[in-house]
Amino acid sequence: MTPTRARNWAYAAAAAGVIANALFIAFYASFALQHGTEPRGAAAFLGSAADYAGIPQNALLAEITVVVFRFLSPQQRSDQVLRIAGATAFATATACGVLTVTGQLGGGVSALTVGAVLAATVWLLAIGIRGARLPSPRRARVARAARLIAATVLCSAVLVLTGFAIGAAAVVWAGLIAGCLAWLSIPLWALAIARVLAPSRAVPPSPETAAAAHRRDT
Protein backbone atom coordinates (compact mmCIF):
# COMPACT_ATOMS: atom_id res chain seq x y z
CA MET A 1 0.00 0.00 0.00
CA THR A 2 1.41 3.36 -1.06
CA PRO A 3 1.19 6.46 1.17
CA THR A 4 -1.27 8.05 -1.26
CA ARG A 5 -3.60 5.06 -1.15
CA ALA A 6 -3.30 4.84 2.64
CA ARG A 7 -4.10 8.54 2.93
CA ASN A 8 -7.22 8.10 0.76
CA TRP A 9 -8.43 5.23 2.94
CA ALA A 10 -7.90 7.34 6.05
CA TYR A 11 -9.82 10.28 4.57
CA ALA A 12 -12.67 7.94 3.57
CA ALA A 13 -12.82 6.46 7.08
CA ALA A 14 -12.87 9.94 8.61
CA ALA A 15 -15.66 11.11 6.29
CA ALA A 16 -17.77 8.00 6.95
CA GLY A 17 -17.23 8.40 10.69
CA VAL A 18 -18.26 12.06 10.68
CA ILE A 19 -21.47 11.24 8.79
CA ALA A 20 -22.28 8.33 11.13
CA ASN A 21 -21.60 10.47 14.21
CA ALA A 22 -23.77 13.32 12.92
CA LEU A 23 -26.67 10.94 12.35
CA PHE A 24 -26.11 9.33 15.75
CA ILE A 25 -26.20 12.69 17.55
CA ALA A 26 -29.22 13.86 15.54
CA PHE A 27 -31.07 10.66 16.41
CA TYR A 28 -30.58 11.02 20.15
CA ALA A 29 -31.36 14.73 20.04
CA SER A 30 -34.65 14.18 18.19
CA PHE A 31 -35.51 11.17 20.38
CA ALA A 32 -34.96 13.23 23.53
CA LEU A 33 -37.38 15.87 22.23
CA GLN A 34 -40.11 13.26 21.80
CA HIS A 35 -40.18 12.21 25.47
CA GLY A 36 -41.35 8.76 24.39
CA THR A 37 -40.32 5.16 24.91
CA GLU A 38 -40.07 4.33 21.20
CA PRO A 39 -38.55 6.52 18.46
CA ARG A 40 -41.02 7.62 15.83
CA GLY A 41 -41.08 9.91 12.84
CA ALA A 42 -37.83 11.74 12.26
CA ALA A 43 -36.17 10.01 15.22
CA ALA A 44 -36.93 6.57 13.81
CA PHE A 45 -35.59 7.58 10.39
CA LEU A 46 -32.40 9.06 11.87
CA GLY A 47 -31.87 5.97 14.03
CA SER A 48 -32.10 3.69 11.01
CA ALA A 49 -29.83 5.98 8.99
CA ALA A 50 -27.25 5.99 11.80
CA ASP A 51 -27.27 2.19 11.85
CA TYR A 52 -26.68 2.04 8.10
CA ALA A 53 -23.94 4.71 8.23
CA GLY A 54 -22.09 2.77 10.91
CA ILE A 55 -21.53 -0.15 8.54
CA PRO A 56 -19.18 1.60 6.05
CA GLN A 57 -17.56 3.46 8.94
CA ASN A 58 -16.48 0.23 10.64
CA ALA A 59 -15.58 -1.40 7.33
CA LEU A 60 -13.25 1.50 6.51
CA LEU A 61 -11.78 1.44 10.02
CA ALA A 62 -10.93 -2.21 9.41
CA GLU A 63 -8.85 -1.01 6.45
CA ILE A 64 -7.28 1.64 8.71
CA THR A 65 -5.67 -1.19 10.69
CA VAL A 66 -3.59 -1.96 7.59
CA VAL A 67 -2.66 1.72 7.27
CA VAL A 68 -1.60 1.90 10.89
CA PHE A 69 0.46 -1.26 10.64
CA ARG A 70 2.17 -0.10 7.46
CA PHE A 71 2.90 3.52 8.33
CA LEU A 72 2.30 4.17 12.03
CA SER A 73 3.93 1.25 13.84
CA PRO A 74 7.50 0.01 14.26
CA GLN A 75 6.44 -2.95 12.04
CA GLN A 76 7.74 -5.69 14.27
CA ARG A 77 6.28 -9.18 14.27
CA SER A 78 3.99 -8.44 17.21
CA ASP A 79 2.46 -5.58 15.23
CA GLN A 80 1.20 -8.10 12.69
CA VAL A 81 -0.82 -9.70 15.49
CA LEU A 82 -2.19 -6.28 16.42
CA ARG A 83 -3.16 -5.61 12.81
CA ILE A 84 -5.11 -8.87 12.59
CA ALA A 85 -6.77 -8.22 15.96
CA GLY A 86 -7.83 -4.71 14.93
CA ALA A 87 -9.15 -5.84 11.55
CA THR A 88 -11.11 -8.63 13.25
CA ALA A 89 -12.60 -6.23 15.80
CA PHE A 90 -13.81 -3.70 13.23
CA ALA A 91 -14.95 -6.45 10.83
CA THR A 92 -17.02 -7.90 13.67
CA ALA A 93 -18.49 -4.45 14.35
CA THR A 94 -19.36 -4.23 10.65
CA ALA A 95 -21.09 -7.61 10.80
CA CYS A 96 -23.01 -6.48 13.89
CA GLY A 97 -24.22 -3.45 11.96
CA VAL A 98 -25.42 -5.61 9.07
CA LEU A 99 -27.19 -7.98 11.46
CA THR A 100 -28.83 -5.01 13.21
CA VAL A 101 -30.23 -3.37 10.08
CA THR A 102 -31.49 -6.73 8.80
CA GLY A 103 -33.26 -7.42 12.09
CA GLN A 104 -31.16 -10.44 13.00
CA LEU A 105 -29.61 -8.85 16.07
CA GLY A 106 -32.56 -6.95 17.48
CA GLY A 107 -32.71 -3.32 18.47
CA GLY A 108 -30.69 -3.53 21.68
CA VAL A 109 -27.00 -3.69 22.37
CA SER A 110 -25.77 -7.28 22.09
CA ALA A 111 -22.83 -8.94 23.78
CA LEU A 112 -21.22 -9.34 20.34
CA THR A 113 -21.38 -5.59 19.74
CA VAL A 114 -19.96 -4.81 23.16
CA GLY A 115 -17.17 -7.33 22.58
CA ALA A 116 -16.31 -5.75 19.22
CA VAL A 117 -16.17 -2.27 20.74
CA LEU A 118 -14.02 -3.52 23.62
CA ALA A 119 -11.64 -5.31 21.24
CA ALA A 120 -11.34 -2.21 19.05
CA THR A 121 -10.63 -0.09 22.12
CA VAL A 122 -7.91 -2.45 23.32
CA TRP A 123 -6.42 -2.36 19.81
CA LEU A 124 -6.35 1.45 19.89
CA LEU A 125 -4.62 1.35 23.27
CA ALA A 126 -2.03 -1.15 22.03
CA ILE A 127 -1.36 0.90 18.89
CA GLY A 128 -1.00 4.02 20.99
CA ILE A 129 1.52 2.36 23.27
CA ARG A 130 3.49 0.79 20.40
CA GLY A 131 3.67 3.94 18.29
CA ALA A 132 4.22 6.56 20.97
CA ARG A 133 8.00 6.39 20.42
CA LEU A 134 8.06 6.48 16.65
CA PRO A 135 10.95 8.56 15.27
CA SER A 136 8.52 10.85 13.45
CA PRO A 137 7.04 13.33 15.99
CA ARG A 138 3.83 13.77 13.98
CA ARG A 139 3.17 10.05 13.77
CA ALA A 140 4.02 9.62 17.43
CA ARG A 141 1.40 12.26 18.29
CA VAL A 142 -1.21 10.33 16.29
CA ALA A 143 -0.31 7.19 18.22
CA ARG A 144 -0.59 9.01 21.54
CA ALA A 145 -4.01 10.33 20.48
CA ALA A 146 -5.15 6.73 19.94
CA ARG A 147 -3.87 5.86 23.40
CA LEU A 148 -5.78 8.78 24.93
CA ILE A 149 -9.03 7.81 23.19
CA ALA A 150 -8.75 4.18 24.28
CA ALA A 151 -7.80 5.03 27.86
CA THR A 152 -10.76 7.42 28.13
CA VAL A 153 -13.20 4.79 26.83
CA LEU A 154 -11.89 2.11 29.19
CA CYS A 155 -11.87 4.43 32.21
CA SER A 156 -15.40 5.55 31.33
CA ALA A 157 -16.54 1.92 31.27
CA VAL A 158 -15.09 1.41 34.74
CA LEU A 159 -16.83 4.59 35.89
CA VAL A 160 -20.17 3.39 34.53
CA LEU A 161 -19.85 0.00 36.23
CA THR A 162 -18.89 1.72 39.48
CA GLY A 163 -21.90 4.00 39.21
CA PHE A 164 -24.22 1.05 38.72
CA ALA A 165 -22.62 -0.76 41.67
CA ILE A 166 -23.09 2.13 44.09
CA GLY A 167 -26.39 3.27 42.62
CA ALA A 168 -25.14 6.72 41.60
CA ALA A 169 -26.89 7.88 38.42
CA ALA A 170 -24.65 10.94 38.11
CA VAL A 171 -21.54 8.74 38.00
CA VAL A 172 -23.13 6.52 35.35
CA TRP A 173 -24.05 9.50 33.18
CA ALA A 174 -20.59 11.04 33.58
CA GLY A 175 -18.98 7.81 32.41
CA LEU A 176 -21.39 7.42 29.49
CA ILE A 177 -20.87 10.98 28.27
CA ALA A 178 -17.07 10.80 28.55
CA GLY A 179 -16.96 7.42 26.83
CA CYS A 180 -19.25 8.52 23.99
CA LEU A 181 -17.25 11.69 23.36
CA ALA A 182 -14.04 9.69 23.22
CA TRP A 183 -15.53 7.12 20.85
CA LEU A 184 -17.02 9.82 18.63
CA SER A 185 -13.55 11.34 18.25
CA ILE A 186 -12.24 8.30 16.35
CA PRO A 187 -13.08 9.87 12.94
CA LEU A 188 -10.95 12.87 13.94
CA TRP A 189 -8.13 10.42 14.70
CA ALA A 190 -8.54 8.89 11.24
CA LEU A 191 -8.37 12.42 9.80
CA ALA A 192 -5.15 13.01 11.74
CA ILE A 193 -3.71 9.85 10.16
CA ALA A 194 -4.58 11.16 6.71
CA ARG A 195 -2.94 14.50 7.43
CA VAL A 196 0.20 12.81 8.72
CA LEU A 197 0.44 10.80 5.51
CA ALA A 198 -0.06 13.88 3.33
CA PRO A 199 3.14 14.92 1.54
CA SER A 200 4.75 18.02 2.98
CA ARG A 201 4.70 21.05 0.72
CA ALA A 202 8.06 22.05 -0.65
CA VAL A 203 9.16 25.49 0.49
CA PRO A 204 10.61 27.50 -2.40
CA PRO A 205 14.08 28.82 -1.69
CA SER A 206 14.52 32.51 -1.03
CA PRO A 207 16.34 34.62 -3.66
CA GLU A 208 19.41 34.89 -1.40
CA THR A 209 19.59 31.10 -0.96
CA ALA A 210 19.15 30.50 -4.69
CA ALA A 211 21.91 33.03 -5.51
CA ALA A 212 24.30 31.44 -3.01
CA ALA A 213 23.64 27.98 -4.45
CA HIS A 214 24.26 29.33 -7.98
CA ARG A 215 27.61 30.84 -6.91
CA ARG A 216 28.67 27.52 -5.38
CA ASP A 217 27.78 25.65 -8.54
CA THR A 218 29.76 28.07 -10.70
Side-chain angles (χ1 to χ4, degrees):
M1 179 182 292
T2 64
T4 300
R5 183 181 177 187
R7 184 174 68 252
N8 291 338
W9 278 113
Y11 274 128
V18 168
I19 293 172
N21 288 352
L23 290 170
F24 177 81
I25 294 171
F27 162 69
Y28 276 99
S30 60
F31 181 54
L33 293 175
Q34 289 184 354
H35 302 289
T37 57
E38 291 292 335
R40 61 184 183 276
F45 171 78
L46 289 170
S48 178
D51 288 336
Y52 277 100
I55 296 174
Q57 175 193 14
N58 288 319
L60 288 166
L61 287 173
E63 184 65 26
I64 285 294
T65 61
V66 180
V67 175
V68 169
F69 171 72
R70 178 66 179 83
F71 296 101
L72 297 176
S73 72
Q75 298 189 41
Q76 298 179 4
R77 184 170 297 180
S78 58
D79 291 333
Q80 182 72 274
V81 176
L82 288 177
R83 183 186 69 82
I84 295 173
T88 302
F90 287 114
T92 302
T94 304
C96 289
V98 174
L99 292 175
T100 298
V101 299
T102 56
Q104 303 298 316
L105 207 57
V109 178
S110 67
L112 185 62
T113 303
V114 173
V117 171
L118 181 60
T121 303
V122 172
W123 174 79
L124 276 173
L125 181 62
I127 284 297
I129 294 173
R130 293 288 293 123
R133 296 183 179 180
L134 286 170
S136 170
R138 296 177 63 198
R139 298 189 181 193
R141 282 195 296 269
V142 171
R144 286 193 291 269
R147 184 177 60 187
L148 178 61
I149 292 171
T152 303
V153 172
L154 294 175
C155 290
S156 299
V158 173
L159 195 62
V160 169
L161 294 176
T162 302
F164 277 122
I166 64 177
V171 175
V172 173
W173 278 107
L176 287 174
I177 293 173
C180 285
L181 290 176
W183 188 259
L184 292 176
S185 67
I186 290 181
L188 300 180
W189 176 70
L191 179 61
I193 292 177
R195 292 178 63 85
V196 163
L197 298 178
S200 58
R201 296 180 179 178
V203 179
S206 62
E208 294 80 5
T209 304
H214 177 72
R215 286 194 298 270
R216 286 196 302 268
D217 293 338
T218 56

